[in-house]
Amino acid sequence: MNRPTELLAGLVLRLAPIAALLLVWYGIVHGFGIPDRLMPDPVTVGLRIYAGLFTEGDLWSHLWLTFKSTFAGFVLGSVLAIALGSVLAMNRKLELLVYPLVVLIQAVPKVAIAPLVLLWLGFDERSTVTLVGLICFFPAFVGAFVGVRSTPAVLMDLFHTLRASAFKTYVHCNLPHAAGSIVAGLQVGWGFALVGCVVMEFIMGMGGAGFLIDNSANALDTATAVAAMILLGLLGYIGGGVLSEAKRRIVFWEGGRRNG
């Protein structure tokens, strides 16, 4: 099978479930006579998305605010998580001291501390970024910790034999081995980051896709609410796709592990 045919087949496989979902959605709405105020059909939602992005343009400001806060919190939480996870994986004594605290903090539902974050930092973007960072911290932390810890002993012995410093051992041995695990943690964390951002927008009510969903639902503008949810899903999908492509290009030595 040549390359264009493979690409076309892959595109069909990806679009077929979406097309099936839209058909089922359309059939349920019209088959059961569900009113638009409860659930509009996909055509109505599609027209609302088109208007909000290309004619009226009223959705862009909300999407941009959500993306900006999510991305900032994601970067903050992920960088700190990778650094801490790597350090703990390479230092057994420090792991015994700190790891239980990390697990304990992770066990606390982040949504439950959202009011405290607002109390401490105020009703602005700092609160959203902080909560997003807390939510996406643990997946990246686990990815870095497990990846670095699972570095083959023979490679570590080789670097010790060569008398490489801890930093060089990490950069040239531990980090390349853990890169795939780290990216997997980042992919999970991106989805969590969007959830955290939307929760904060629900609470603060000052803009963003979460605010738009809540406000539109209260006003019985279901088409706008569903459109915002779909765009949030696309934002999550695109973010995951970017990370997957980054993994394919940067962690290229893992290409042989993939099947077909």
Side-chain angles (χ1 to χ4, degrees):
M1 186 180 293
N2 56 36
R3 183 63 175 172
T5 304
E6 289 180 356
L7 291 175
L8 180 60
L11 181 62
V12 171
L13 286 175
R14 286 176 172 82
L15 293 180
I18 298 175
L21 176 62
L22 292 176
L23 287 174
V24 171
W25 176 6
Y26 187 91
I28 290 175
V29 170
H30 289 278
F32 291 93
I34 301 175
D36 282 351
R37 69 178 184 276
L38 296 180
M39 175 55 71
D41 63 34
V43 175
T44 302
V45 175
L47 291 174
R48 179 64 183 93
I49 292 175
Y50 181 83
L53 296 181
F54 301 106
T55 56
E56 298 176 13
D58 60 310
L59 299 180
W60 281 114
S61 59
H62 294 287
L63 290 175
W64 169 247
L65 180 59
T66 297
F67 172 77
K68 182 175 62 172
S69 300
T70 301
F71 184 75
F74 175 75
V75 171
L76 175 64
S78 298
V79 169
L80 293 177
I82 293 170
L84 182 60
S86 300
V87 170
L88 295 189
M90 299 177 69
N91 190 316
R92 179 62 178 172
K93 293 181 179 179
L94 194 59
E95 176 195 345
L96 294 175
L97 288 173
V98 178
Y99 192 87
L101 295 176
V102 175
V103 175
L104 179 63
I105 294 173
Q106 170 60 23
V108 178
K110 302 304 179 294
V111 176
I113 67 174
L116 288 176
V117 174
L118 289 170
L119 178 64
W120 295 332
L121 300 178
F123 278 73
D124 57 30
E125 193 175 355
R126 293 177 301 171
S127 297
T128 303
V129 171
T130 300
L131 188 71
V132 169
L134 288 172
I135 286 179
C136 70
F137 177 90
F138 200 68
F141 170 82
V142 171
F145 181 84
V146 172
V148 172
R149 175 57 63 83
S150 62
T151 304
V154 63
L155 291 179
M156 296 296 295
D157 292 340
L158 175 61
F159 275 78
H160 290 158
T161 300
L162 296 174
R163 296 185 179 181
S165 65
F167 178 75
K168 288 185 177 180
T169 300
Y170 174 73
V171 171
H172 297 289
C173 179
N174 298 114
L175 187 57
H177 181 79
S181 179
I182 290 173
V183 175
L186 293 176
Q187 288 175 302
V188 176
W190 175 251
F192 286 176
L194 279 172
V195 172
C197 184
V198 169
V199 167
M200 290 299 284
E201 290 169 351
F202 279 160
I203 296 173
M204 292 194 297
M206 298 174 64
F211 162 78
L212 187 62
I213 292 170
D214 186 47
N215 191 58
S216 300
N218 290 334
L220 297 181
D221 183 6
T222 317
T224 299
V226 175
M229 286 190 285
I230 291 175
L231 291 173
L232 273 175
L234 287 175
L235 188 58
Y237 180 81
I238 291 171
V242 169
L243 289 169
S244 295
E245 182 64 16
K247 179 180 179 180
R248 188 182 71 83
R249 292 180 178 274
I250 298 173
V251 195
F252 56 86
W253 53 88
E254 291 191 355
R257 300 181 186 179
R258 298 194 301 268
N259 296 321

